[in-house]
Amino acid sequence: MTAEFPAARPRRLRRTPAMRRMVTGTRLHPAELILPVFVKEGISEPQQVGSMPGVVQHTRDSLRKAVSEAAEVGVGGVMLFGIPAVKDGHGSAADDPEGITQRALRDVVSEVGDALVVMADTCLDEVTDHGHCGILTPDGEVDNDATLDRYVSMALAQVRAGSQMVSPSGMMDGQVGAIRAGLDAAGFAHIPIMAYAAKYASAFFGPFRDAVETPKDFGDRKAYQQDPAGPRGEALREVRLDLAEGADIVMVKPALAYLDILREVRDTVEVPVAAYQVSGEYAMIEAAAANGWIDRDRAIMESLVAIRRAGADLILTYWAAEVARRI
């Protein structure tokens, strides 16, 4: 039995900022935020990403500074995306010890040490000339099993360069198990895997593809990323498969359009759950705020609170350092 109006007045707990702060049910903490950063080979100054105001392709020097600042404000981790000067169909830069991602990893680890978790995206889309997440067959399809071999080699190169976590994002079947076996065999059983377990073929990835310079004619990734209107239970099946293969953290990507999936995953698993507030989510808020249509700071915080409330333990967001300073 519950009281009704006039005895029940929920507004009593909303009257003052102090009261609202005391009873809040969803809190953000800097350590739960992960900052994605782009670093490009062969540039002398940071380059603005046109579709992501405030986000740049870093030089190695500016990357060191950005990661150091993130560590100073308590951000929990950084996710590196390396953009090589030369790309090819095999993604040769992915496992080259002198590739931009590996060099950037060494830079960052030497700069911040263990002040935050340093990781890199373990996928081929940033380093292939066709822009897909894997090796292509002669008829243009992504070869799942050949791609797994590349992922293992890429993961080992990243870990040897200092990556403290491996993050396979290509949605290849068996990617977590292949990487786990490869890491263990090479003596890296202590390195965790954050699996992009439920990743959708989303329109919200558009600005990211500008940032990593994906070819405009690459097609789409609907043959390996999940369909937004796909079968019921598909996301949980993917998550369970990744956990069975050895994932330590599972991720839902994008975040805001998939809060229902995020909630389902959080209610099902017993490992940390991450969500990626992707480039399109970032760009929409920045664009609307630039036009004076919404309050930028409030919209940023509201979107992050929604993701946290839906069940995310960790949030990848391009606003990580800014929000960490604010909270």
Side-chain angles (χ1 to χ4, degrees):
M1 184 71 72
T2 59
E4 297 181 359
F5 180 83
R9 295 179 180 267
R11 286 181 56 191
R12 291 172 183 143
L13 298 182
R14 305 174 194 150
R15 285 187 58 248
T16 68
M19 187 72 73
R20 293 191 295 272
R21 186 171 62 250
M22 184 181 74
V23 301
T24 189
T26 304
R27 301 180 190 275
L28 298 171
H29 190 279
E32 300 165 351
L33 305 178
I34 298 170
L35 176 66
V37 286
F38 304 104
V39 56
K40 183 177 178 179
E41 186 175 31
I43 59 174
S44 57
E45 297 290 338
Q47 304 294 315
Q48 173 67 50
V49 179
S51 54
M52 300 179 69
V55 173
V56 301
Q57 295 172 325
H58 283 285
T59 67
R60 290 172 62 192
D61 286 340
S62 69
L63 176 67
R64 290 188 190 95
K65 181 179 179 182
V67 174
S68 179
E69 291 173 351
E72 288 173 3
V73 296
V75 168
V78 290
M79 176 76 74
L80 273 59
F81 295 87
I83 307 153
V86 177
K87 303 184 181 187
D88 59 32
H90 192 64
S92 299
D95 54 352
D96 181 351
E98 294 305 314
I100 183 59
T101 299
Q102 282 67 253
R103 294 168 73 189
L105 281 165
R106 291 193 292 269
D107 292 341
V108 168
V109 171
S110 68
E111 186 74 23
V112 299
D114 293 327
L116 45 65
V117 178
V118 178
M119 63 196 95
D121 183 51
T122 310
C123 192
L124 294 175
D125 57 320
E126 303 102 296
V127 296
T128 53
D129 56 8
H130 48 70
H132 277 286
C133 297
I135 302 300
L136 299 186
T137 64
D139 60 1
E141 291 191 20
V142 174
D143 186 327
N144 190 95
D145 294 3
T147 299
L148 296 184
D149 293 337
R150 296 294 295 130
Y151 284 0
V152 173
S153 183
M154 186 179 190
L156 289 171
Q158 291 176 350
V159 171
R160 287 170 178 146
S163 183
Q164 297 156 359
M165 183 179 292
V166 173
S167 305
S169 64
M171 289 298 288
M172 296 297 117
D173 293 341
Q175 63 184 13
V176 173
I179 291 171
R180 183 73 274 160
L183 291 173
D184 291 357
F188 297 115
H190 61 287
I191 297 294
I193 296 175
M194 178 165 65
Y196 289 60
K199 182 178 179 180
Y200 288 82
S202 173
F204 292 104
F205 296 155
F208 172 89
R209 290 169 185 160
D210 293 339
V212 299
E213 301 179 359
T214 299
K216 298 298 183 184
D217 60 350
F218 86 103
D220 60 54
R221 297 169 183 167
K222 295 178 181 179
Y224 45 100
Q225 294 176 353
Q226 288 178 243
D227 182 351
R232 292 186 181 277
E234 183 181 44
L236 290 182
R237 183 187 185 204
E238 291 278 9
V239 167
R240 290 187 180 109
L241 286 168
D242 281 357
L243 289 173
E245 292 175 20
D248 300 282
I249 301 171
V250 293
M251 186 195 298
V252 175
K253 180 182 181 182
L256 207 56
Y258 297 88
L259 296 182
D260 57 328
I261 303 299
L262 180 56
R263 183 74 264 168
E264 285 184 359
V265 172
R266 176 64 284 163
D267 288 345
T268 302
V269 305
E270 297 178 347
V271 300
V273 176
Y276 198 139
Q277 186 180 50
V278 300
S279 59
E281 298 173 61
Y282 174 94
M284 286 192 303
I285 290 177
E286 290 288 353
N291 279 281
W293 296 335
I294 60 173
D295 182 318
R296 176 184 180 276
D297 291 353
R298 287 183 61 197
I300 291 169
M301 296 304 294
E302 187 174 340
S303 66
L304 291 170
V305 165
I307 296 165
R308 183 76 175 88
R309 188 179 62 240
D313 301 294
L314 305 168
I315 303 174
L316 289 85
T317 174
Y318 299 97
W319 290 303
E322 176 183 339
V323 170
R325 292 187 191 96
R326 195 182 309 169
I327 60 177

